């Protein structure tokens, strides 16, 4: 066994977990990650079940892995993540060529599961929730570059009526404060300048009380993280409106290292629908958080998630969602058509908005938010922005890419030595998904333009 292929579906928690799978299988089994599943000895799927489409994709891809295994019988196939957590053994029933089924909280046991699979010849299933054990058993992350994700809490205890996550990931558990801080300090020593604190509801994070002190909350965690030498920018995702405390709002006024961006899913602009979703807040409460955030950090970018076509959502409910989206001037959003998830409370309600209507609502809402985001990008042209230079640009490797505080990619011509540094950039142009900029005082030409000019191409 030498090569590992991982296919990741779903959210950033899954992206993070996939990196951890690669880390542990590299440290313990010497496996190198490859981009082509046909080369791999171990093929892992890190799956998502948040919507039906995501779940079905997994089974399509598994079919392809089966063909690879037929061609090379020694190949091991593993299914992890939320579909695995939900379906367990039954995955082997549906796809008997699968060797390993593991959950988001048991991925650190992969080396032992592989060993048992090889010695017993039997498929291995472990989808238990052994609390925080996972983090204690993982090798240090292999970092490349100036940014890193750090998981601070796992799971979700909110039980929104439509959502599968509490059942697949388990209840909310916070990682101990010291563990988080030590991990970030080590990352900083290895060149990381920006960390994104991750959790299904990061602001539900709690540290245990110490002596006279009450429980530490997420705002306090941010204080500690921002104080770590070398860390220049801090982000977090996803936050939940229900635990968006005044202290967290204040952190945005107090901590200059905190990025001017919050992803704060609202889901709907109708109080009736929010109540049916069991979100635990009203539109008024949501608007009040956004208003206070904007006061604390002028220019802060707020992005959101929406579900349209929830059971019973009327034209009037949807109109209220459009109205809220417009009023909040969101700087981006993910709009999803409601998808009934087996086992959730809302799955017993009639899924009564026709698919064509759901899709039309998704398009209308997404277009509205995209237009506000484009206007915000346009308003940044001519301004100076502090950006963290992350590496070569994806489109033109002769250029650099950097990220603004409000989470936009800026491409510009600049020297390689800028990578990993926080610098000022002047924004010169807003494109569909990125910005263009120049280092103040430098020539506003790209390297490729310069090459074309010297080559006499034009
Ligand atoms: N914990 C985060 C979101 C996690 S899931 C929060 O509560 O804000 C990511 C997004 O998927 C959700 O915000 C929601 O918009 C969407 N989603 C979750 N369940 C869904 C379902 N059954 N159908 C459609 N979209 C769903
Ligand atoms: Fe799902 Fe709600 Fe938990 Fe978010 S808060 S993960 S939507 S149950
Ligand atoms: Fe999907 Fe699980 Fe994330 S269901 S969105 S991978 S928590």
């Amino acid at each position: 066994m030498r090569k590992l292929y991982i296919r990741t579906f779903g959210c950033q928690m899954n992206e993070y977990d996939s990196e951890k799978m690669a880390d542990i299988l590299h440290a313990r089994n010497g496996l190198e990650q490859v981009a082509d599943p046909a080369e791999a000895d171990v093929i892992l799927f890190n799956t998502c079940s948040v919507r039906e489409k995501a779940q079905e994709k997994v089974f399509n891809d598994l079919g392809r892995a089966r063909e690879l295994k037929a061609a090379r019988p020694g190949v091991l196939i593993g299914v992890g993540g939320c579909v695995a957590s939900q379906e367990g053994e039954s995955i082997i029933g549906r796809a008997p060529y699968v060797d390993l089924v593991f959950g988001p909280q048991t991925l650190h046991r992969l080396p032992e599961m592989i060993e048992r699979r090889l010695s017993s010849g039997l498929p291995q299933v472990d989808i238990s929730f052994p609390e925080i054990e996972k983090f204690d058993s993982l090798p240090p992350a292999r970092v490349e570059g100036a940014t890193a994700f750090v998981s601070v809490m796992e799971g979700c205890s909110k039980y929104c009526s439509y959502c599968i996550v509490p059942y697949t990931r388990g209840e909310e558990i916070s990682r101990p404060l010291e563990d988080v801080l030590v991990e970030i300090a080590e990352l900083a020593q290895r060149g990381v300048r920006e960390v994104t604190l991750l959790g299904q509801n990061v602001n539900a994070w709690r540290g245990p009380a110490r002596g006279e002190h009450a429980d530490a909350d997420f705002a306090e965690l941010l204080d500690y993280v921002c104080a770590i030498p070398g860390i220049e920018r801090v982000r977090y995702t996803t936050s939940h409106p229900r635990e968006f405390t005044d202290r967290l709002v204040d952190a945005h006024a107090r901590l200059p290292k905190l990025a001017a961006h919050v992803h704060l899913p609202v889901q709907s602009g109708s109080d009736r629908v929010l109540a049916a979703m069991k979100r635990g807040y009203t539109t008024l409460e949501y608007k009040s958080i956004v208003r206070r955030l904007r006061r604390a950090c002028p220019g802060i970018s707020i992005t959101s998630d929406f579900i349209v076509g929830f059971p019973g959502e009327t034209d009037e409910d949807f109109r209220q969602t459009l109205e809220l989206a417009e009023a909040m001037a969101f700087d981006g959003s993910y709009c999803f058509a409601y998808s009934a998830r087996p086992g959730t409370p809302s799955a017993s309600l009639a899924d009564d908005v026709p698919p064509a209507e759901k899709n039309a609502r998704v398009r209308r809402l997404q277009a509205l938010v995209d237009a506000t985001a484009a206007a915000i990008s346009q308003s940044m042209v001519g301004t100076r922005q502090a950006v963290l230079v992350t590496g070569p640009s994806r489109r033109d490797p002769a250029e650099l890419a950097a990220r603004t505080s409000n989470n936009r990619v800026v491409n510009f011509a600049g020297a390689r030595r800028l990578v990993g540094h926080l610098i000022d950039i002047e924004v010169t142009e807003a494109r569909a998904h990125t910005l263009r900029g120049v280092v103040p005082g430098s020539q506003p030409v790209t390297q490729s333009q310069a090459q074309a000019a010297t080559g006499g191409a034009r």
Side-chain angles (χ1 to χ4, degrees):
M1 279 196 331
R2 292 187 334 268
K3 291 181 176 163
L4 167 70
Y5 171 82
I6 306 181
R7 174 106 161 85
T8 308
F9 302 84
C11 62
Q12 281 165 322
M13 263 58 71
N14 262 19
E15 302 270 347
Y16 179 85
D17 285 349
S18 291
E19 277 176 34
K20 299 295 154 192
M21 294 174 200
D23 286 347
I24 195 156
L25 291 173
H26 177 74
R28 299 270 301 278
N29 302 57
L31 291 178
E32 294 295 339
Q33 216 171 333
V34 291
D36 178 5
E39 279 179 38
D41 307 295
V42 178
I43 299 178
L44 301 180
F45 293 91
N46 196 8
T47 63
C48 172
S49 53
V50 79
R51 285 167 294 275
E52 191 181 354
K53 261 195 213 140
Q55 178 151 357
E56 281 314 308
K57 252 193 255 163
V58 173
F59 284 100
N60 291 340
D61 276 33
L62 264 177
R64 251 169 275 152
R66 172 194 209 163
E67 289 162 23
L68 293 174
K69 188 163 173 164
R72 290 173 57 214
V75 169
L76 290 183
I77 299 179
V79 179
C82 290
V83 176
S85 178
Q86 206 187 342
E87 312 252 326
E89 291 266 354
S90 72
I91 292 190
I92 313 249
R94 186 162 165 188
Y97 46 90
V98 169
D99 303 284
L100 312 160
V101 176
F102 55 99
Q105 317 298 354
T106 47
L107 61 92
H108 58 287
R109 295 179 179 166
L110 269 171
E112 287 76 24
M113 290 179 74
I114 290 178
E115 211 176 285
R116 279 203 302 275
R117 168 71 183 90
L118 295 176
S119 61
S120 69
L122 298 171
Q124 300 294 314
V125 179
D126 183 353
I127 51 164
S128 54
F129 293 125
E131 303 256 311
I132 216 78
E133 170 191 303
K134 162 173 151 186
F135 294 104
D136 295 336
S137 329
L138 292 170
R142 292 172 292 165
V143 288
E144 294 154 28
T147 59
F149 289 102
V150 175
S151 170
V152 301
M153 57 83 66
E154 291 265 325
C156 180
S157 311
K158 302 286 184 287
Y159 295 92
C160 301
S161 62
Y162 52 81
C163 184
I164 198 79
V165 172
Y167 311 97
T168 61
R169 294 251 161 190
E171 296 268 326
E172 288 166 2
I173 319 170
S174 298
R175 270 181 89 186
L177 177 66
E178 283 77 10
D179 292 8
V180 173
L181 298 182
V182 166
E183 179 169 341
I184 298 175
E186 280 169 8
L187 290 169
Q189 271 170 15
R190 280 145 70 200
V192 168
R193 295 293 161 256
E194 175 182 300
V195 285
T196 304
L197 309 183
L198 277 188
Q200 206 49 259
N201 293 291
V202 266
N203 51 329
W205 182 90
R206 288 287 174 283
R210 275 180 303 180
E212 299 278 288
H213 298 280
D215 274 12
D217 64 0
F218 184 65
E220 201 169 333
L221 176 65
L222 289 175
D223 278 328
Y224 287 118
V225 173
C226 287
I228 294 174
I231 295 300
E232 306 205 32
R233 191 172 270 168
V234 178
R235 302 180 185 278
Y236 59 88
T237 198
T238 297
S239 53
H240 194 289
R242 218 151 93 188
E243 275 145 329
F244 218 100
T245 60
D246 283 340
R247 285 172 45 76
L248 182 50
V249 172
D250 290 345
H252 281 272
R254 188 173 71 237
L255 300 171
K257 290 184 185 173
L258 208 48
H261 171 224
V262 173
H263 184 65
L264 192 62
V266 64
Q267 313 299 1
S268 170
S270 152
D271 285 327
R272 211 179 60 77
V273 174
L274 285 177
M277 288 177 164
K278 297 231 174 328
R279 287 292 289 178
Y281 53 84
T282 61
T283 51
L284 209 62
E285 284 164 330
Y286 185 89
K287 287 179 188 166
S288 151
I289 298 168
V290 171
R291 196 178 326 110
R292 283 177 286 142
L293 266 173
R294 293 215 153 109
R295 206 182 308 138
C297 177
I300 193 169
S301 142
I302 315 275
T303 54
S304 204
D305 289 352
F306 293 94
I307 297 175
V308 303
F310 188 79
E313 185 186 75
T314 61
D315 286 343
E316 171 57 19
D317 291 319
F318 179 63
R319 194 194 57 73
Q320 291 175 8
T321 298
L322 289 172
E323 205 174 271
L324 178 93
E326 179 135 45
M328 294 295 95
F330 287 122
D331 192 14
S333 72
Y334 295 102
C335 304
F336 303 108
Y338 169 74
S339 162
R341 304 316 293 132
T344 61
S346 70
S348 60
L349 304 172
D351 190 356
D352 55 359
V353 180
E357 178 60 26
K358 281 183 191 168
N359 291 335
R361 289 180 189 178
V362 165
R363 282 196 301 273
R364 211 167 144 202
L365 180 58
Q366 193 66 60
L368 188 154
V369 178
D370 288 350
T372 358
I376 295 173
S377 290
Q378 205 56 51
S379 75
M380 292 172 73
V381 174
T383 65
R384 238 175 225 215
Q385 300 285 329
V387 297
L388 180 75
V389 186
T390 46
S393 148
R394 249 197 275 168
R395 186 115 45 88
D396 179 357
E399 289 200 337
L400 295 178
R403 198 165 282 274
T404 63
S405 183
N406 70 358
N407 212 27
R408 281 172 167 70
V409 173
V410 191
N411 295 120
F412 64 100
R416 273 303 145 91
R417 66 181 159 72
L418 296 177
V419 174
H421 291 274
L422 201 61
I423 63 167
D424 270 354
I425 278 285
E426 216 167 275
V427 179
T428 54
E429 191 187 337
R431 300 202 166 166
H433 299 287
T434 56
L435 301 172
R436 290 202 56 79
V438 291
V439 178
S442 72
Q443 288 298 313
V445 285
T446 67
Q447 281 186 19
S448 30
Q449 278 170 333
Q451 278 157 8
T454 49
R458 254 170 269 167

